[in-house]
Amino acid sequence: KLEISNNENFIQPVVITKSFDTLFSKVSLGNLIQNQRYYYRLKQDDLGSYYSATYSFIQRNPNYQFFVNEGNIEGLFNYQNTIYDTNSRSWKLNTQVNTLKILSAGGHDGAFGSIQLNGIEFLPNTYYWGLATAIIDSTTLRPVSVRYFNVPDPGVSDSLANFVNRLPQNTLIAMTISADAAQGPLGWTAGTPPRNAIKTLGSRYIDSIVYREGWAILGKKGAAIGTVPEDYRKLFAGVATVEVTKTVTNDSGYIVFPEIKFAKSWNYIKFETEIPQGASITYIPIGIRKNGQTDTLYNFTTNSDSIDLNNINAEIYPSLRILAKLYANQMKESPKIFSLGAKYVAVPELAINYQTVNIDRDTIWQGERVNFSARVYNVGKSIADTVKVVLDLIKADNTSYNLIDTVFLNLHPNNYKSISYQYFNTNFDGYGNFNFKLSIDPNDSVYELIENNNIFFKPFFVKRDTATSISSSSVTVKFNNKEILDWDYVEPNSKVNVELSYPVWFPVTDTSAIQIFVNGRRIYAEKLIYDYDTIERKMNCEFNLSLESGEHNIRVFTKDVYGRISNKPVVEKYFKVSQNIEVLNVYNYPNPFKDGTHFTFVLTQLPDEVDIKIYTVAGRLIKQIKVSQSDLTTNFNKVFWDGKDEDGDELANGVYLYKLTMKKGQKVQSVLQKLVVMK
């Protein structure tokens, strides 16, 4: 039972039920929407089973073997300074909040100055006497070009004024006083050249500052007075503080995409991207060996939307992860990756299970056979070039030996190849619980999806043969290829066959192990023709027999498990021979009859033919039945008649006559009898 839905909560899913096929089952999904992610889960269709974990896929065209366009799959990505943005549905450089802090303590409030970014001090010396400045990057708030204007440096006032006046328009600059700046850098009174220059940075409080007071500003060249962050503290009023924050895009970062697995050969990676002018992306395939070891293969910087992977050897690196390094441009614009698709040839998948491995018997006697057969499937996506197949027999004592060791070449996807073996239990193998062990690719030479479905055990049981002698059911005596009952007639000149189904321990090659007597006289080995079937464990002893009329017998003796000839015959048959051909015991049954009857009779020898004619009591022939020699047998015979005349019409009720005539050469014998039709 399969549930498939466009939402992971399976609200109003499509439900599909399908009977299990052999080994694997295909389910066709129709009407799928392009670029839509679908979620599915499965269970056995009964009340006692539970759903599997939830899986998902994206319907895409072209049909990549691997595709991802979502970044919220937990644990499958590695990020540094990058995020998956759900608004733009892309991977891009992350942002961070930069905090610029400017502190100023007057001579009686600590006497220090500080310019910090994210808690990191950028002033080499915070305990100075005068004014410190730093140009501030307007994009990142990062302080650069730190300068000090200290007391009592001569000309410091003119130097500060000239510095500020030469600043380019819109320049951001941080300024902070440590201890005191009125004595030297600023001058004692309002309206000094440096104070007037600082007003061009947007300062409101610059003319108010007197001896040992604190003041901090983040000025901007050309700003209107009072429009910039600024703090002024009188003597004993504490530390002046300016704090500014800004969200900033990282300069660089990387994403490591999920593992792309089970490739037999690599083709290409295709990206959907957006790369602003000056930004860039570097792609680095990371090869993953079968043992899990990783190797960085090469750097690939491009504005193209694809990477050729044909030069990567999938036999060495059947799995890859793609590392994408993102670099922002000077405007802090990030490149974006919307999706990654991989095209490659997937590996084979060898598999066997209880449906593909069979035996014709699960219990045998010692010395019997059991037939093993199996189909080895490839349910993967590519040809399995060379597949080693091994069949072992595991005996009851857990020892084993090999039965089949072969190789399948070019096992194609969604196809199978068959093996079979006929195992004959021998006395050496013993009895008890046995197993066939079928191993597919035991050396793991074929890289495939799943390795744990390549071994299958098929058990069977061998029953111990407790018989110590040959039973009568194991011996058959035939005259002219037909079995007889006691006192049956046989031909005077007959071909006799004594057939023996022998157990494991029987010494079949010992001609004295079976002894045949006719009328008490032994038929010795030189007069016997032996034929052996060691697969079926059968032997046949054939000889010709010529006998006079009268009663005769045949006795068969065999050796037992101890090598002794039995003191009683295993088989003893009595039969009759007649030198004259006769037909005896002629009847029809049933009589009277309604819908049909059988003519029965005994023959002492095979005639050339038997003819049965049916007459009315007035002597008119109404039906003739001829029986050829091939349809007759010595002894009892039975011929059916449906009770209809030569025209196919049913006979009327009444008494009729029939004459049975037997012919052989010049010998003719007839018997006349009555029959009755009663409906």
Side-chain angles (χ1 to χ4, degrees), residues 464-496:
R464 184 180 183 184
D465 189 352
T466 57
T468 59
S469 60
I470 302 295
S471 66
S472 59
S473 62
S474 301
V475 181
T476 303
V477 178
K478 294 181 179 180
F479 286 80
N480 295 326
N481 295 321
K482 294 180 181 178
E483 291 189 60
I484 64 169
L485 300 175
D486 278 344
W487 304 118
D488 275 351
Y489 283 97
V490 302
E491 297 283 344
N493 298 302
S494 296
K495 180 181 70 175
V496 183

Short mmCIF file of all heavy atoms in Angstrom, two decimals, residues 464-496:
data_model
loop_
_atom_site.label_atom_id
_atom_site.label_comp_id
_atom_site.label_asym_id
_atom_site.label_seq_id
_atom_site.Cartn_x
_atom_site.Cartn_y
_atom_site.Cartn_z
N ARG A 464 17.29 -40.22 7.38
CA ARG A 464 18.20 -41.36 7.45
C ARG A 464 17.53 -42.61 6.89
O ARG A 464 16.38 -42.91 7.20
CB ARG A 464 18.63 -41.60 8.89
CG ARG A 464 19.66 -42.71 9.04
CD ARG A 464 20.05 -42.89 10.49
NE ARG A 464 21.08 -43.91 10.65
CZ ARG A 464 21.55 -44.32 11.81
NH1 ARG A 464 21.09 -43.77 12.94
NH2 ARG A 464 22.49 -45.24 11.88
N ASP A 465 18.25 -43.36 6.03
CA ASP A 465 17.74 -44.61 5.49
C ASP A 465 18.02 -45.72 6.50
O ASP A 465 19.17 -46.14 6.68
CB ASP A 465 18.43 -44.91 4.15
CG ASP A 465 17.80 -46.09 3.43
OD1 ASP A 465 16.94 -46.76 4.03
OD2 ASP A 465 18.16 -46.33 2.26
N THR A 466 16.96 -46.16 7.18
CA THR A 466 17.13 -47.17 8.24
C THR A 466 16.95 -48.59 7.73
O THR A 466 17.11 -49.55 8.49
CB THR A 466 16.12 -46.91 9.37
OG1 THR A 466 14.80 -46.92 8.83
CG2 THR A 466 16.39 -45.56 10.01
N ALA A 467 16.57 -48.76 6.44
CA ALA A 467 16.38 -50.10 5.90
C ALA A 467 17.72 -50.82 5.80
O ALA A 467 18.73 -50.25 5.40
CB ALA A 467 15.73 -50.03 4.52
N THR A 468 17.70 -52.12 6.16
CA THR A 468 18.93 -52.94 6.09
C THR A 468 18.87 -53.95 4.96
O THR A 468 19.85 -54.65 4.71
CB THR A 468 19.16 -53.67 7.42
OG1 THR A 468 18.04 -54.51 7.71
CG2 THR A 468 19.34 -52.66 8.55
N SER A 469 17.69 -54.05 4.29
CA SER A 469 17.56 -55.00 3.19
C SER A 469 16.66 -54.41 2.13
O SER A 469 15.95 -53.43 2.35
CB SER A 469 16.99 -56.34 3.70
OG SER A 469 15.70 -56.12 4.27
N ILE A 470 16.69 -55.05 0.95
CA ILE A 470 15.86 -54.61 -0.17
C ILE A 470 14.43 -55.05 0.08
O ILE A 470 14.17 -56.22 0.41
CB ILE A 470 16.38 -55.18 -1.50
CG1 ILE A 470 17.83 -54.76 -1.73
CG2 ILE A 470 15.49 -54.73 -2.66
CD1 ILE A 470 18.03 -53.30 -1.92
N SER A 471 13.47 -54.13 -0.10
CA SER A 471 12.06 -54.49 0.09
C SER A 471 11.47 -54.94 -1.24
O SER A 471 11.99 -54.64 -2.32
CB SER A 471 11.28 -53.30 0.62
OG SER A 471 11.23 -52.26 -0.33
N SER A 472 10.36 -55.67 -1.15
CA SER A 472 9.71 -56.18 -2.36
C SER A 472 9.23 -55.04 -3.26
O SER A 472 9.16 -55.19 -4.48
CB SER A 472 8.54 -57.08 -1.99
OG SER A 472 7.58 -56.36 -1.21
N SER A 473 8.90 -53.89 -2.65
CA SER A 473 8.43 -52.76 -3.45
C SER A 473 9.53 -52.16 -4.30
O SER A 473 9.26 -51.37 -5.21
CB SER A 473 7.84 -51.69 -2.53
OG SER A 473 8.83 -51.19 -1.65
N SER A 474 10.79 -52.50 -4.01
CA SER A 474 11.92 -51.97 -4.77
C SER A 474 12.27 -52.81 -5.98
O SER A 474 13.15 -52.44 -6.76
CB SER A 474 13.15 -51.85 -3.86
OG SER A 474 12.88 -51.01 -2.76
N VAL A 475 11.61 -53.99 -6.15
CA VAL A 475 11.94 -54.91 -7.24
C VAL A 475 10.70 -55.11 -8.11
O VAL A 475 9.60 -55.35 -7.59
CB VAL A 475 12.44 -56.26 -6.70
CG1 VAL A 475 12.82 -57.19 -7.86
CG2 VAL A 475 13.65 -56.05 -5.80
N THR A 476 10.89 -54.99 -9.42
CA THR A 476 9.80 -55.20 -10.37
C THR A 476 10.24 -56.25 -11.39
O THR A 476 11.36 -56.18 -11.93
CB THR A 476 9.45 -53.90 -11.11
OG1 THR A 476 9.11 -52.91 -10.16
CG2 THR A 476 8.29 -54.11 -12.06
N VAL A 477 9.36 -57.22 -11.66
CA VAL A 477 9.61 -58.25 -12.66
C VAL A 477 8.64 -58.04 -13.81
O VAL A 477 7.43 -57.96 -13.62
CB VAL A 477 9.46 -59.66 -12.07
CG1 VAL A 477 9.68 -60.72 -13.16
CG2 VAL A 477 10.44 -59.87 -10.92
N LYS A 478 9.20 -57.93 -15.04
CA LYS A 478 8.38 -57.71 -16.23
C LYS A 478 8.67 -58.78 -17.27
O LYS A 478 9.83 -59.15 -17.49
CB LYS A 478 8.65 -56.34 -16.83
CG LYS A 478 8.24 -55.17 -15.95
CD LYS A 478 8.53 -53.84 -16.65
CE LYS A 478 8.09 -52.67 -15.80
NZ LYS A 478 8.37 -51.37 -16.47
N PHE A 479 7.58 -59.27 -17.89
CA PHE A 479 7.69 -60.16 -19.03
C PHE A 479 7.25 -59.39 -20.27
O PHE A 479 6.12 -58.89 -20.32
CB PHE A 479 6.80 -61.40 -18.84
CG PHE A 479 7.34 -62.38 -17.83
CD1 PHE A 479 7.17 -62.17 -16.48
CD2 PHE A 479 8.01 -63.52 -18.25
CE1 PHE A 479 7.66 -63.06 -15.55
CE2 PHE A 479 8.51 -64.42 -17.33
CZ PHE A 479 8.34 -64.19 -15.97
N ASN A 480 8.19 -59.28 -21.23
CA ASN A 480 7.90 -58.50 -22.44
C ASN A 480 7.40 -57.10 -22.08
O ASN A 480 6.41 -56.61 -22.63
CB ASN A 480 6.90 -59.23 -23.34
CG ASN A 480 7.47 -60.54 -23.87
OD1 ASN A 480 8.67 -60.65 -24.13
ND2 ASN A 480 6.61 -61.54 -24.01
N ASN A 481 8.10 -56.49 -21.10
CA ASN A 481 7.86 -55.10 -20.67
C ASN A 481 6.52 -54.90 -19.96
O ASN A 481 6.06 -53.76 -19.83
CB ASN A 481 7.95 -54.13 -21.85
CG ASN A 481 9.34 -54.09 -22.44
OD1 ASN A 481 10.33 -54.12 -21.71
ND2 ASN A 481 9.43 -54.05 -23.77
N LYS A 482 5.93 -56.01 -19.47
CA LYS A 482 4.68 -55.88 -18.73
C LYS A 482 4.78 -56.64 -17.42
O LYS A 482 5.30 -57.75 -17.37
CB LYS A 482 3.50 -56.42 -19.56
CG LYS A 482 3.22 -55.61 -20.82
CD LYS A 482 2.05 -56.18 -21.59
CE LYS A 482 1.80 -55.37 -22.86
NZ LYS A 482 0.68 -55.94 -23.66
N GLU A 483 4.27 -55.98 -16.37
CA GLU A 483 4.22 -56.65 -15.08
C GLU A 483 3.10 -57.69 -15.09
O GLU A 483 2.09 -57.53 -15.79
CB GLU A 483 3.98 -55.64 -13.95
CG GLU A 483 5.14 -54.70 -13.70
CD GLU A 483 4.92 -53.87 -12.44
OE1 GLU A 483 4.78 -54.47 -11.36
OE2 GLU A 483 4.89 -52.63 -12.56
N ILE A 484 3.28 -58.75 -14.29
CA ILE A 484 2.27 -59.81 -14.23
C ILE A 484 1.81 -60.01 -12.80
O ILE A 484 2.51 -59.63 -11.84
CB ILE A 484 2.82 -61.14 -14.79
CG1 ILE A 484 3.98 -61.64 -13.89
CG2 ILE A 484 3.26 -61.00 -16.23
CD1 ILE A 484 4.40 -63.07 -14.20
N LEU A 485 0.64 -60.56 -12.68
CA LEU A 485 0.14 -61.02 -11.40
C LEU A 485 0.38 -62.52 -11.31
O LEU A 485 0.64 -63.20 -12.32
CB LEU A 485 -1.35 -60.72 -11.26
CG LEU A 485 -1.74 -59.24 -11.34
CD1 LEU A 485 -3.26 -59.10 -11.33
CD2 LEU A 485 -1.12 -58.44 -10.20
N ASP A 486 0.32 -63.05 -10.10
CA ASP A 486 0.48 -64.50 -9.94
C ASP A 486 -0.55 -65.24 -10.79
O ASP A 486 -1.73 -64.88 -10.84
CB ASP A 486 0.34 -64.89 -8.47
CG ASP A 486 1.63 -64.66 -7.71
OD1 ASP A 486 2.68 -64.49 -8.35
OD2 ASP A 486 1.58 -64.61 -6.46
N TRP A 487 -0.02 -66.27 -11.49
CA TRP A 487 -0.78 -67.18 -12.33
C TRP A 487 -1.28 -66.54 -13.62
O TRP A 487 -2.15 -67.07 -14.29
CB TRP A 487 -1.96 -67.81 -11.56
CG TRP A 487 -1.47 -68.52 -10.31
CD1 TRP A 487 -1.78 -68.22 -9.04
CD2 TRP A 487 -0.58 -69.60 -10.26
NE1 TRP A 487 -1.15 -69.05 -8.15
CE2 TRP A 487 -0.39 -69.92 -8.89
CE3 TRP A 487 0.12 -70.37 -11.23
CZ2 TRP A 487 0.45 -70.95 -8.48
CZ3 TRP A 487 0.92 -71.40 -10.80
CH2 TRP A 487 1.09 -71.67 -9.43
N ASP A 488 -0.67 -65.42 -13.96
CA ASP A 488 -0.92 -64.88 -15.29
C ASP A 488 -0.20 -65.73 -16.33
O ASP A 488 0.78 -66.43 -16.03
CB ASP A 488 -0.40 -63.44 -15.39
CG ASP A 488 -1.40 -62.42 -14.89
OD1 ASP A 488 -2.56 -62.81 -14.62
OD2 ASP A 488 -1.03 -61.23 -14.76
N TYR A 489 -0.71 -65.68 -17.58
CA TYR A 489 -0.05 -66.33 -18.69
C TYR A 489 1.06 -65.43 -19.22
O TYR A 489 0.93 -64.20 -19.26
CB TYR A 489 -1.03 -66.60 -19.83
CG TYR A 489 -1.92 -67.79 -19.58
CD1 TYR A 489 -3.21 -67.61 -19.06
CD2 TYR A 489 -1.49 -69.08 -19.89
CE1 TYR A 489 -4.04 -68.68 -18.83
CE2 TYR A 489 -2.33 -70.18 -19.67
CZ TYR A 489 -3.60 -69.96 -19.13
OH TYR A 489 -4.42 -71.04 -18.90
N VAL A 490 2.16 -66.03 -19.61
CA VAL A 490 3.22 -65.32 -20.30
C VAL A 490 3.53 -66.07 -21.58
O VAL A 490 3.21 -67.26 -21.73
CB VAL A 490 4.50 -65.18 -19.45
CG1 VAL A 490 4.20 -64.46 -18.14
CG2 VAL A 490 5.13 -66.54 -19.18
N GLU A 491 4.17 -65.38 -22.53
CA GLU A 491 4.54 -66.01 -23.79
C GLU A 491 5.58 -67.10 -23.55
O GLU A 491 6.44 -66.96 -22.67
CB GLU A 491 5.10 -64.96 -24.74
CG GLU A 491 4.13 -63.86 -25.14
CD GLU A 491 3.15 -64.34 -26.19
OE1 GLU A 491 3.39 -65.40 -26.82
OE2 GLU A 491 2.11 -63.67 -26.37
N PRO A 492 5.55 -68.17 -24.32
CA PRO A 492 6.57 -69.22 -24.15
C PRO A 492 7.98 -68.69 -24.32
O PRO A 492 8.90 -69.13 -23.64
CB PRO A 492 6.21 -70.24 -25.24
CG PRO A 492 4.77 -70.00 -25.53
CD PRO A 492 4.54 -68.54 -25.34
N ASN A 493 8.14 -67.73 -25.22
CA ASN A 493 9.45 -67.10 -25.42
C ASN A 493 9.32 -65.62 -25.02
O ASN A 493 8.68 -64.84 -25.74
CB ASN A 493 9.90 -67.23 -26.87
CG ASN A 493 10.08 -68.69 -27.28
OD1 ASN A 493 10.86 -69.42 -26.68
ND2 ASN A 493 9.34 -69.10 -28.31
N SER A 494 9.89 -65.31 -23.90
CA SER A 494 9.70 -63.96 -23.34
C SER A 494 11.04 -63.31 -23.01
O SER A 494 12.03 -64.00 -22.72
CB SER A 494 8.86 -64.02 -22.06
OG SER A 494 7.57 -64.48 -22.32
N LYS A 495 11.03 -61.99 -23.08
CA LYS A 495 12.15 -61.20 -22.57
C LYS A 495 11.79 -60.78 -21.14
O LYS A 495 10.74 -60.16 -20.91
CB LYS A 495 12.40 -59.97 -23.45
CG LYS A 495 13.56 -59.11 -22.96
CD LYS A 495 13.75 -57.90 -23.85
CE LYS A 495 12.60 -56.91 -23.67
NZ LYS A 495 12.83 -55.66 -24.44
N VAL A 496 12.66 -61.15 -20.19
CA VAL A 496 12.39 -60.89 -18.78
C VAL A 496 13.31 -59.76 -18.30
O VAL A 496 14.51 -59.76 -18.57
CB VAL A 496 12.60 -62.15 -17.92
CG1 VAL A 496 12.24 -61.87 -16.46
CG2 VAL A 496 11.77 -63.31 -18.48
#
